Amino acid sequence: MSKANSTSTRQREEEDEQGSAHGAAGEQLSTAPREERPDTGAGVPAMSVIGWVRWFWRQLTSMRVALILLFLLSLGAIPGSLIPQTSVDDMKVQAFKEQHTTLTPIYEALQLFDVYSSVWFSAIYILLFVSLIGCIVPRTGQFVGQLRSRPPGAPKRLTRLPAYTTWRTEAEPEEVRAAALAVLRKRRFRGHEVGDAVAAEKGYLREAGNLVFHIALIVMLIAFASGQLFKSEGGKLVVEGDGFSNTLTQYDDFKSGSLYDSDSLAPFSFVLDDFVGTYEKSGPQRGTPRTFEARVTYAEGADGAERKGVIKVNEPLVVDGTKVYLIAHGYAPVVTVRDGTGKVVSKSAVPLLPIDNNITSSGAIKVMDGYKDKNGKKTQLGFKAFFVPTFAGHGKGQMFSQFPALDFPVLALSAYQGSLGVDSGLAQNVYQLDTSKMKEFKDKDGELLKKMLMPGEKLDLPDGAGSITYEGTEEWASFQISQQPGNGWALGGAIAAIAGLAGSLFIQRRRVWVRAVRGADGVTVVEMAGLGRSESAKLPEELGDLSAALVTTAPVAPEKPAASTSTDGDGPDATNEAGSRPVQPAEAPAEGAEK
């Protein structure tokens, strides 16, 4: 019984020693900063302010907190995508506030209309930035140290490692070690000879990929911040034949970052020569655009040579780092307004805004100057306009277009006179008519004067007040002119982050040792073992391939009758302490190293 107890105790001690060896070997493969854990025993004094600062810094720069902050940043971007943002479209924000009077105070308190400039989003952003830098700096130092150092020597008992194989050969130990070093280096292992063994290591790109991933995240954060601070974005509606010059006064609307300088607008101009739009005429996709492009003539700089260009959806015109996107299209009826004497007061193409996919459009025609009524008094005219490019015919209710192409254009007008309200100095929507200070023109029945016109037809105003003629239709295109610094860096950072993440996930870091010593009978005993930083089924297979390659130089010695069975744990017939029989080199190509 005493002998059994002694054996059991010895086995437990060996198992504890084995676990310690595995843990120590595994820790040597890690390049992550080691966290110093304070002693939790009784009598530990309370931490000082410096201690708390160090604790907070360790928590902030841990991988766990970095992932939590990245997740919170993603969650914070959701309301910025779902709720209208003031920096993007102030009109939509105002409309949202009018429709949701209950939610508006809550959203304003939480800064949900300005998510990306809010205090809470900025706090997450800055903490993530600091956390990533705090992760990268010590890990980089550890990684550089690992690259400059050599793989450690072989453990005393290789049988304790999870992947192991051994055989006997008649080759000299020095020849075996030299051959092993050559085989390992050919497989891109970093190796050197230490004592009676060869130590080699591979898979450093795993940690390099991890560092690249974190650095790429920082690059993306910096690119995003610079894009928000130095960006500029504006819109311009251009009718065929008209042009645009990239100056601040030419924009219909303009937004920029807080650090943007308007003097940095790229000098260029363009003219919209023609807009070409074709549409599917039949089938379930009837009305779907097939050709949607703006043909322009542009010049870079004040005296640059004119060049032709075509702007398509998602294919912008790029001039000196500024991109011109085609975002919308519509129609602009050409109308001529005459006074009672027949004098032409106004002749222009008036853009109308589409209200459906078939480009049914509405807007206002305003005559602000030059018109006099029958008494010679200066006044202003206004017309509510409703336009369809393909009229479906008279029917009940309001007319609508049945196709987006300009096949059967009809313009419906209703007439007013009085003050348009443009002299008050207040901003006014050019597509809406304020009739609060205007009077309706009446028809012979005393109703509001209105009429549907086809090209070439006119609406006569009563009492010799003049007329308005629908001459034809031009097309217009709406462009977004944007300057987004940092987009290239953001794209490069995203590609690098994906590449680094793939490397950190799929590259396995592992070490291999080959020991060759002369046995008591004069025959060389070769032992080969491997250890991976993480559990991998490929490590035994790789060890089997390496042993098979080494066998060509150090072939297995012929078996000799043995008088007794060796039990010292290091012989060729020993049993791996992990519980498996060592793989013989002859079995290696088929089975690999057993685990």
Side-chain angles (χ1 to χ4, degrees), residues 39-119:
D39 186 10
T40 58
V44 176
M47 287 194 297
S48 62
V49 174
I50 297 178
W52 279 110
V53 170
R54 289 177 178 174
W55 177 85
F56 177 78
W57 176 253
R58 290 194 187 101
Q59 298 303 313
L60 180 61
T61 56
S62 67
M63 182 65 66
R64 178 180 64 258
V65 172
L67 292 175
I68 292 174
L69 290 172
L70 187 61
F71 178 69
L72 290 176
L73 193 71
S74 303
L75 288 180
I78 294 176
S81 302
L82 300 179
I83 300 173
Q85 298 296 294
T86 304
S87 60
V88 177
D89 194 334
D90 188 60
M91 297 297 293
K92 284 187 177 180
V93 173
Q94 294 300 325
F96 183 91
K97 290 180 178 180
E98 292 174 1
Q99 296 174 4
H100 304 84
T101 55
T102 304
L103 289 176
T104 295
I106 301 174
Y107 284 6
E108 288 179 339
L110 297 176
Q111 298 180 294
L112 295 183
F113 294 116
D114 299 280
V115 167
Y116 302 110
S117 59
S118 64
V119 174

Side-chain angles (χ1 to χ4, degrees), residues 308-370:
K308 297 291 184 179
V310 177
I311 306 175
K312 301 179 181 179
V313 177
N314 296 326
E315 295 183 18
L317 173 69
V318 182
V319 184
D320 194 17
T322 301
K323 294 183 178 181
V324 182
Y325 293 91
L326 174 62
I327 60 174
H329 158 257
Y331 295 104
V334 180
V335 295
T336 301
V337 179
R338 293 178 172 85
D339 61 13
T341 64
K343 177 184 175 182
V344 176
V345 176
S346 172
K347 183 176 182 180
S348 62
V350 182
L352 304 179
L353 295 182
I355 60 175
D356 61 20
N357 292 332
N358 286 327
I359 318 185
T360 301
S361 307
S362 66
I365 300 172
K366 302 179 182 181
V367 180
M368 293 177 283
D369 299 308

Side-chain angles (χ1 to χ4, degrees), residues 230-297:
F230 297 98
K231 74 174 182 178
S232 69
E233 185 176 279
K236 179 65 177 178
L237 187 149
V238 183
V239 180
E240 287 177 333
D242 291 344
F244 167 79
S245 179
N246 193 29
T247 59
L248 201 58
T249 57
Q250 288 277 300
Y251 284 92
D252 294 333
D253 59 85
F254 185 83
K255 300 183 293 292
S256 64
S258 58
L259 299 181
Y260 182 77
D261 183 6
S262 59
D263 293 335
S264 62
L265 284 172
F268 71 91
S269 61
F270 67 86
V271 175
L272 177 60
D273 299 324
D274 186 26
F275 180 86
V276 179
T278 60
Y279 308 89
E280 189 69 36
K281 292 184 176 297
S282 61
Q285 294 186 340
R286 184 175 186 273
T288 302
R290 294 306 179 200
T291 304
F292 202 82
E293 60 186 36
R295 298 173 182 176
V296 300
T297 300

Side-chain angles (χ1 to χ4, degrees), residues 57 60-61 66 126-140 214-215 218 221-222:
W57 176 253
L60 180 61
T61 56
I126 295 173
L127 286 175
L128 177 60
F129 192 82
V130 174
S131 177
L132 289 174
I133 293 178
C135 286
I136 289 172
V137 172
R139 292 179 74 95
T140 301
H214 286 79
I215 294 174
I218 291 181
L221 290 175
I222 294 175

